[in-house]
Amino acid sequence: MTESKRQLAMVMDLNKCIGCQTCTIACKRLWTRDEGMEYMWWNSVNTQPGRGTPRDWEDMGGGFREGNAVPGKLPTRKDFGDAWEFNHEEVFFGGKGDKVHLKVKGEEPEWGPNWDEDQGAGEYPNAYYFYLPRICNHCTHPACLEACPRKAIVKREEDGIVLIDEDRCRGYRFCMEACPYKKIYFNHVEKVSQKCIFCFPRVEQGVANACARQCPGRVRFLGYRDDKNAPIWKLVDKWKVAIPLHPEYGTDANVFYVPPLAPPRFDENGEIDESNPRIPNEYLVSLFGPKVLESLEILKGEMAKTRAGGKSELLDLLIAYRWKDMFGGFDRDPATIEWKKA
Amino acid sequence: MRARTISSTEFDRLMDPSAATWKQAGAERVKLEGSPLGMQPTALIRAAWQDRKIGAIDRVQIAALHDGERLAFRLEWSDPTENRGNADNVDFPDGVAVLLPAVQGAPIVTMGAPGNAVNAWYWRADDDTNVRHVVAEGIGTSRTVSVEAGLARGAWKEGRWQVVIARALRVETVDPVAQLQAGETTGIGVAIWDGGSGERAGIKSISGLQWRKLSLDALPTARR
Ligand code: SF4
Ligand code: SF4
């Protein structure tokens, strides 16, 4: 397998994500508007705990166990939530706007990409949830690439971005079975597999990914893994607070998460109870592995430090006072570039 | 197997898989077997299929006719489900390919080798009037080449696929496709994919790990 010389990576701070889906729409408008792409959300944001997108993707297999490929399931379009068609013509142009209401055409949907939004878990007054934005992880050990019998998937040497060569792809979908994060989509019109391209045409021009640049929550940091001036290295390697999702999948993901801290619990008397976390540790460990607990401790320690009047490089970094500092040098304004469609 | 000759006027009718002319061909029954698991090119495919049966279709009837200019194959096999689509992520189309060596001696087991290409005439149920010409020089190297005058027609009736695939014996191209002529003997292999069983790529039924013989009858002297 070819190893990349450098690796672009992203860190998402789950304490700041407000679930607004601006990232999702930024990506949709830029990359997945063609025919056959209607149901694709290369960027998705789901409520956790929840079944995710595609539905129950964490039970679909794929990835590696002890270095061996694990078979996986193919998610259906319905599992992804599909693309609903609405009766826009009827409501807006059919002269029946006062009688007909906007609704999904055909069969009543029973699932959608955000069907269980904001449900979460736990009981009042200790209910909890948080948002989990996901893109392709541009893995160091990409299960999708290794599964393809046609060598149609490449990992770029210069920046580690994982791309599907649509001219070589025959739509066999072994990549879709293999990806444990279920971030491959099949285009049933073009008959090829498609996925997040890490906005490579932007990144090549020094512009941050659309999901990162458009994020109003300042959730997403970008940069090369090994760039000691970029936030990725500081958050992942120096401060060790950003960790990958499901490290046990064995693909060495290059999207890292700052895990969510929740407000404290209330006890039966309505008093603040700091003895147990509101989001159960086991749940966070099931998502991020045991390192999540260390990461939370580091965050808490730094917060205590600033509360006592001290300064914290880590918290300053996470607060992202200066928006452009989040992008590891990829901070060029896209409006300064004349974009051409290939 | 033998490709008998027929007149050019009769040949024109062959694109209809149910044409009576096909009766003259003398169809041969060929047993198929699953392509070996160990030959699958990636660990994921091997892991996914180690406990699944490869090769859902176990026999095919194959007939061939030529008119000195063009060669047509007719393949018929039983398949209770007609899988034409890619509409959902879990749907795969049925398909069939006739494999010929582009270079005599090219290995069939590995789908050719560098400099020793094999040429598949490939039909798939999601595009049933086209034949795709594929050349390969080893597993995973196959690429589609454009070849003029390739034709196909497929129909599914009462649990059976009937597919006709035809092409000119000789074609103008720089790509390594099979170039044929009346009177010659070459190799042939057949592969069938049952989409309903998730078969695609190297997961297929094949006519064996060795070339079968294909002899094209010489033209009758009067027509040479
Ligand atoms: S997340 Fe999935 S699609 Fe993306 S590189 Fe990793 S294995 Fe491939
Ligand atoms: S745009 Fe930012 S805040 Fe909004 S859902 Fe996406 S990651 Fe979260």
Side-chain angles (χ1 to χ4, degrees):
Chain A
M1 215 196 106
T2 52
E3 275 185 23
S4 299
K5 293 208 178 85
R6 293 192 92 185
Q7 178 68 54
L8 278 170
M10 197 179 272
V11 168
M12 305 194 196
D13 182 353
L14 299 184
N15 292 296
K16 294 166 83 184
C17 178
I18 54 170
C20 66
Q21 308 282 357
T22 308
C23 47
T24 308
I25 299 302
C27 176
K28 183 86 204 161
R29 288 196 56 91
L30 197 51
W31 301 121
T32 60
R33 295 176 75 190
D34 289 342
E35 229 197 315
M37 298 177 116
E38 295 87 348
Y39 82 106
M40 296 186 194
W41 301 99
W42 291 354
N43 182 98
S44 50
V45 184
N46 286 117
T47 302
Q48 300 296 134
R51 298 174 71 181
T53 299
R55 176 171 51 189
D56 301 329
W57 63 273
E58 289 156 297
D59 301 328
M60 287 185 177
F64 305 95
R65 197 174 297 127
E66 281 149 18
N68 299 317
V70 177
K73 261 179 69 178
L74 287 170
T76 62
R77 281 167 63 177
K78 274 208 167 125
D79 288 333
F80 279 105
D82 220 335
W84 306 343
E85 278 185 56
F86 291 88
N87 59 339
H88 288 130
E89 307 85 56
E90 213 185 355
V91 174
F92 297 121
F93 311 109
K96 293 189 227 153
D98 50 352
K99 291 189 256 348
V100 186
H101 70 275
L102 191 67
K103 61 174 197 281
V104 175
K105 281 205 254 183
E107 227 180 289
E108 209 33 43
E110 44 177 64
W111 185 254
N114 253 309
W115 198 262
D116 54 4
E117 185 165 45
D118 292 0
Q119 281 178 13
E123 297 259 320
Y124 176 84
N126 292 314
Y128 62 91
Y129 67 74
F130 58 92
Y131 299 109
L132 181 68
R134 301 200 303 123
I135 61 173
C136 158
N137 292 290
H138 298 274
C139 305
T140 297
H141 190 189
C144 56
L145 179 152
E146 292 185 24
C148 177
R150 292 190 50 76
K151 303 186 175 78
I153 305 186
V154 292
K155 183 165 178 66
R156 304 208 303 186
E157 211 184 28
E158 65 274 29
D159 53 19
I161 295 179
V162 175
L163 295 175
I164 300 175
D165 178 346
E166 291 182 14
D167 293 328
R168 283 207 62 73
C169 176
R170 285 283 165 71
Y172 293 147
R173 288 159 263 173
F174 292 113
C175 55
M176 204 177 185
E177 283 183 28
C179 171
Y181 297 95
K182 292 293 169 266
K183 272 294 168 190
I184 303 254
Y185 293 80
F186 178 62
N187 183 320
H188 48 93
V189 175
E190 300 295 333
K191 299 176 188 171
V192 291
S193 295
Q194 295 175 322
K195 63 179 269 301
C196 159
I197 57 173
F198 210 73
C199 285
F200 76 86
R202 290 168 65 103
V203 163
E204 283 172 359
Q205 303 291 326
V207 179
N209 322 55
C211 57
R213 199 179 155 96
Q214 299 299 323
C215 173
R218 300 196 182 183
V219 167
R220 298 181 183 225
F221 299 85
L222 168 68
Y224 285 107
R225 270 299 309 266
D226 61 359
D227 179 354
K228 299 200 170 156
N229 297 312
I232 307 295
W233 180 83
K234 289 184 189 159
L235 293 169
V236 176
D237 297 286
K238 183 177 178 192
W239 282 98
K240 299 190 170 32
V241 287
I243 50 180
L245 176 63
H246 288 303
E248 76 280 12
Y249 289 171
T251 63
D252 288 337
N254 286 302
V255 173
F256 301 87
Y257 295 91
V258 179
L261 291 157
R265 293 173 61 87
F266 294 105
D267 64 17
E268 307 84 81
N269 307 318
E271 303 293 333
I272 287 177
D273 168 16
E274 304 253 21
S275 62
N276 274 307
R278 180 180 287 232
I279 306 178
N281 283 340
E282 313 82 77
Y283 179 63
L284 291 176
V285 170
S286 77
L287 288 177
F288 301 104
K291 281 207 180 126
V292 71
L293 303 178
E294 294 159 39
S295 159
L296 291 172
E297 285 315 309
I298 298 167
L299 286 170
K300 284 185 203 153
E302 290 301 298
M303 284 166 77
K305 210 158 99 186
T306 54
R307 266 194 217 111
K311 271 204 73 73
S312 163
E313 183 204 39
L314 174 63
L315 293 190
D316 282 356
L317 200 61
L318 290 173
I319 291 166
Y321 287 106
R322 290 218 312 242
W323 177 58
K324 284 191 172 180
D325 288 353
M326 298 182 72
F327 305 134
F330 295 87
D331 55 11
R332 189 162 167 200
D333 179 353
T336 62
I337 298 170
E338 206 191 306
W339 299 96
K340 286 188 207 85
K341 204 165 177 174
Chain B
M1 71 172 296
R2 184 175 159 198
R4 295 188 164 94
T5 57
I6 61 167
S7 72
S8 298
T9 6
E10 283 175 306
F11 192 97
D12 292 340
R13 294 187 208 118
L14 292 181
M15 287 321 292
D16 173 5
S18 50
T21 323
W22 275 112
K23 299 223 168 71
Q24 304 173 25
E28 192 177 309
R29 210 154 151 203
V30 174
K31 273 188 64 178
L32 303 176
E33 57 196 71
S35 62
L37 185 75
M39 301 272 312
Q40 302 305 324
T42 71
L44 180 277
I45 302 177
R46 291 189 295 271
W49 286 82
Q50 62 184 357
D51 300 321
R52 285 174 76 177
K53 181 181 157 51
I54 301 176
I57 308 297
D58 62 2
R59 73 194 69 180
V60 61
Q61 273 185 41
I62 171 163
L65 289 167
H66 78 90
D67 69 351
E69 299 284 324
R70 297 164 292 174
L71 171 65
F73 293 101
R74 180 185 184 281
L75 300 113
E76 180 175 334
W77 69 96
S78 146
D79 177 355
T81 54
E82 178 188 18
N83 298 101
R84 285 189 174 272
N86 288 293
D88 207 339
N89 303 329
V90 289
D91 297 336
F92 295 93
D94 295 324
V96 61
V98 173
L99 194 70
L100 303 168
V103 177
Q104 285 306 322
I108 187 172
V109 185
T110 54
M111 287 291 283
N116 277 313
V118 294
N119 171 208
W121 302 10
Y122 176 45
W123 171 92
R124 223 164 73 168
D126 58 338
D127 186 12
D128 72 359
T129 57
N130 275 313
V131 54
R132 183 187 274 180
H133 271 263
V134 173
V135 299
E137 295 177 281
I139 284 173
T141 66
S142 65
R143 59 194 171 94
T144 302
V145 297
S146 72
V147 166
E148 297 276 318
L151 282 173
R153 206 71 83 227
W156 186 88
K157 247 188 264 158
E158 289 149 19
R160 295 184 78 76
W161 274 112
Q162 301 178 355
V163 177
V164 174
I165 304 177
R167 202 201 75 185
L169 291 175
R170 303 195 73 77
V171 289
E172 291 274 339
T173 171
V174 292
D175 289 308
V177 301
Q179 302 285 1
L180 302 160
Q181 62 185 31
E184 122 180 278
T185 297
T186 182
I188 184 171
V190 180
I192 297 188
W193 290 265
D194 179 36
S197 304
E199 294 187 346
R200 72 272 200 202
I203 303 293
K204 60 195 173 187
S205 297
I206 55 171
S207 55
L209 296 175
Q210 253 140 44
W211 293 110
R212 300 173 64 84
K213 218 166 84 178
L214 169 67
S215 312
L216 280 70
D217 279 9
L219 291 174
T221 12
R223 287 175 49 209
R224 271 196 197 144

